[in-house]
């Protein structure tokens, strides 16, 4: 089956005046127009393409990489607004439509919005919506605490950054647990820190537990090398100093430093830490 809105690994069936026809194992085929045909190819070989509907609503393939695919949430810019809705630049020749009914407030040309890409059942077209909550649910969670997850940052609240978790759920990263610059639309890795009784999800942008030791130690070691082998930090340093220099919490810093010390990679001095010679 050729999936609209996703990448497909298809076989090159035949060469025509308008492009290559590609097919799947079920006998379906789709056109890859001449402008996307690779410089060299062989009939019978497989090629990875993205499939969507062209201006005439016909299925078509492209080798271009879209900025969003079916089921994803991403930050996109409005290229045009007309009587049909807002049209987003998603990296393809034909822009992605956000109908007026799918806009939380009227979208403006040039502005950026986090949107969800879905398949409109009536038209069979890929469209987008920035009414994000209708595509998210925390009712039936298939997550576990400490599990690694994929995140998309959607907005800033009074408590922290609201994030989409694994393209399905809503979570929150508290401000006091953020140790690097975060922006709306960022796609980040994270971990499930806590699942509350009401199914709200607390997210950490840092690996949890023992997983934090090796990355933190590596970061400290690399920054030491970049700064001539010395940093004016120690276990009594102010947490803000540590955050400014290393973008990590004091707790994480102490664990990482402990790892380096046990491995005899650093010496602890009164006014800081130094790489061992």
């Amino acid at each position: 089956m050729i999936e609209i809105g996703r990448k497909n690994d298809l076989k090159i069936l035949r060469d025509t005046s308008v492009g290559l026809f590609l097919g799947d194992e079920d006998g379906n085929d789709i056109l890859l127009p001449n402008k996307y045909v690779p410089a060299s190819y062989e009939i019978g070989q497989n090629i990875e393409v993205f499939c969507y509907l062209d201006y005439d609503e016909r299925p078509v393939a492209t080798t271009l990489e879209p900025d969003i695919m079916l089921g994803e949430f991403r930050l996109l810019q409005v290229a045009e607004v007309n009587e049909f809705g807002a049209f987003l630049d998603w990296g393809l020749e034909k822009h992605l439509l956000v109908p007026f009914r799918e806009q939380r407030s009227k979208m403006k040309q040039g502005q950026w919005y986090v949107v969800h890409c879905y398949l409109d059942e009536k038209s069979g077209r890929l469209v987008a919506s920035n009414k994000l909550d209708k595509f998210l649910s925390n009712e039936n969670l298939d997550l576990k605490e400490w599990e690694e997850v994929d995140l998309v940052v959607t907005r800033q609240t009074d408590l922290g950054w609201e994030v989409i978790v694994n393209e399905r759920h809503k979570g929150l990263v508290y401000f006091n647990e953020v140790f690097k610059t975060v922006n709306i639309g960022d796609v980040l890795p994270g971990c499930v820190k806590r699942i509350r009784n009401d199914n709200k999800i607390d997210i950490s942008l840092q690996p949890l537990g023992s997983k934090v030791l090796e990355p933190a130690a590596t970061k400290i070691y690399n920054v030491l090398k970049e700064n001539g082998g010395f940093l004016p930090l120690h276990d009594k340093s102010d947490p803000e100093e540590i955050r400014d220099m290393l973008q990590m919490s004091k707790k994480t810093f102490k664990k990482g430093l402990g790892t380096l010390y046990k491995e005899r990679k650093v010496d602890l001095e009164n006014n800081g830490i130094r790489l061992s010679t």
Side-chain angles (χ1 to χ4, degrees):
M1 178 180 177
I2 296 176
E3 292 187 274
I4 298 297
R6 302 188 190 279
K7 288 183 178 180
N8 293 257
D9 189 39
L10 304 176
K11 181 180 292 187
I12 299 176
L13 302 177
R14 58 188 183 277
D15 188 357
T16 72
S17 60
V18 293
L20 299 178
F21 274 88
L22 315 176
D24 62 11
E25 296 178 351
D26 299 323
N28 303 302
D29 63 11
I30 192 169
L31 174 67
L32 178 67
N34 280 322
K35 57 186 168 184
Y36 304 125
V37 171
S40 62
Y41 62 88
E42 294 182 5
I43 302 297
Q45 80 177 64
N46 277 39
I47 183 172
E48 186 177 67
V49 293
F50 178 77
C51 299
Y52 68 117
L53 301 186
D54 66 10
Y55 288 105
D56 297 316
E57 309 302 329
R58 297 173 302 191
V60 68
T62 178
T63 51
L64 296 177
E65 184 86 12
D67 296 327
I68 191 172
M69 289 189 277
L70 181 65
E72 292 183 338
F73 297 81
R74 293 293 185 271
L75 181 71
L76 299 178
Q77 186 178 32
V78 176
E80 177 188 1
V81 177
N82 62 25
E83 66 270 24
F84 300 107
F87 289 82
L88 307 175
D89 180 358
W90 60 323
L92 302 183
E93 184 177 345
K94 179 187 177 184
H95 291 149
L96 182 64
L97 171 67
V98 184
F100 287 117
R101 68 179 183 276
E102 294 298 331
Q103 300 177 26
R104 291 178 60 185
S105 58
K106 190 173 181 180
M107 290 181 163
K108 299 179 180 179
Q109 184 175 345
Q111 296 296 308
W112 294 79
Y113 302 87
V114 176
V115 298
H116 176 68
C117 180
Y118 69 99
L119 196 65
D120 181 68
E121 295 182 356
K122 291 183 178 180
S123 66
R125 293 183 302 173
L126 291 171
V127 291
S129 170
N130 79 323
K131 294 183 177 180
L132 306 183
D133 286 352
K134 64 189 286 187
F135 303 100
L136 301 169
S137 174
N138 282 26
E139 287 187 14
N140 299 306
L141 297 178
D142 55 354
L143 301 171
K144 298 179 180 178
E145 292 186 357
W146 299 60
E147 180 178 342
E148 295 180 355
V149 290
D150 297 317
L151 309 171
V152 180
V153 180
T154 58
R155 69 187 184 99
Q156 187 174 341
T157 71
D158 292 338
L159 296 176
W161 292 98
E162 195 170 276
V163 294
I164 294 169
V165 182
N166 286 352
E167 312 283 6
R168 294 192 296 274
H169 313 299
K170 289 174 64 174
L172 187 70
V173 182
Y174 289 93
F175 285 133
N176 63 353
E177 298 179 2
V178 176
F179 305 104
K180 60 182 179 181
T181 302
V182 173
N183 297 297
I184 292 174
D186 284 352
V187 179
L188 304 167
C191 284
V192 177
K193 184 175 182 181
R194 182 183 301 107
I195 298 176
R196 299 181 180 271
N197 292 334
D198 57 2
N199 272 16
K200 290 183 178 178
I201 308 169
D202 293 347
I203 294 292
S204 171
L205 297 183
Q206 301 185 86
L208 300 180
S210 61
K211 293 183 179 181
V212 79
L213 294 179
E214 186 177 352
T218 300
K219 176 94 180 265
I220 296 168
Y221 184 77
N222 289 336
V223 174
L224 276 166
K225 290 197 295 183
E226 293 169 1
N227 287 271
F230 178 81
L231 283 176
L233 297 175
H234 44 73
D235 60 2
K236 303 296 183 184
S237 293
D238 186 86
E240 290 300 320
E241 289 183 86
I242 296 170
R243 181 180 302 190
D244 289 342
M245 287 191 185
L246 298 170
Q247 293 78 54
M248 65 177 64
S249 67
K250 184 171 182 177
K251 181 178 179 181
T252 300
F253 166 72
K254 291 174 69 174
K255 289 182 178 179
L257 181 59
T259 297
L260 293 174
Y261 184 71
K262 289 177 182 177
E263 295 179 358
R264 299 183 180 179
K265 293 187 179 296
V266 297
D267 295 320
L268 306 182
E269 301 181 357
N270 290 334
N271 60 342
I273 52 177
R274 189 178 301 277
L275 285 177
S276 299
T277 55

